[in-house]
Amino acid sequence: MVRRSAADYIEKMSEEEKIKDALLLGMLPHVAFDGWGRKAMDAGARDAGYAPARVDLAFPDGARDMARHFCDWGDRRMLAALEKADMPGMRIRERIATAVRTRLEVVAPHREAVRVLLTYLALPANRPLATS
């Protein structure tokens, strides 16, 4: 089995994944005011240079898909950053602390979106998404 690096994965993402990332990054500034909902997704699509209808193609399950993609986006960025760290040279405790710190640093610019996402995931209807 050939193992691809996270940076390699990011570089070779499909066009659809790149569009999803663009839509997500366009949406994040709106989440603090509009929540993880349609209004923020439409505004984010416009900011990213897409028609709001493009959101439905990229995220058919709406905000749930967008929230799931945000988590995936953060994981991909974290893994790419961790590949630059000397993880094998660290003790287990240091590896875990570095990974957690890196993950938090990745989403730090989107602090309000994370805060609103945690509230969104706390809703009983979103419990399966929060635990996946």
Side-chain angles (χ1 to χ4, degrees), residues 50-123:
Y50 294 96
R54 185 62 178 93
V55 172
D56 296 326
L57 295 172
F59 304 103
D61 197 19
R64 281 196 171 110
D65 281 347
M66 184 75 82
R68 189 176 293 114
H69 189 74
F70 180 54
C71 295
D72 177 63
W73 176 86
D75 290 346
R76 285 185 279 127
R77 296 303 182 275
M78 175 195 67
L79 291 172
L82 289 176
E83 286 177 354
K84 298 173 187 167
D86 180 29
M87 298 298 273
M90 296 180 191
R91 296 172 54 187
I92 294 290
R93 179 180 9 203
E94 293 168 331
R95 288 182 201 176
I96 294 168
T98 299
V100 170
R101 191 176 315 106
T102 302
R103 183 64 165 85
L104 292 173
E105 288 169 359
V106 164
V107 296
H110 312 291
R111 174 187 228 140
E112 283 303 308
V114 171
R115 183 188 62 75
V116 176
L117 177 61
L118 293 174
T119 303
Y120 176 78
L121 293 175
L123 297 171

Side-chain angles (χ1 to χ4, degrees), residues 25-66:
L25 293 173
M27 176 190 170
L28 290 175
H30 299 280
V31 171
F33 304 102
D34 301 323
W36 284 83
R38 187 79 223 179
K39 188 174 178 183
M41 290 190 300
D42 288 349
R46 284 190 292 277
D47 288 356
Y50 294 96
R54 185 62 178 93
V55 172
D56 296 326
L57 295 172
F59 304 103
D61 197 19
R64 281 196 171 110
D65 281 347
M66 184 75 82

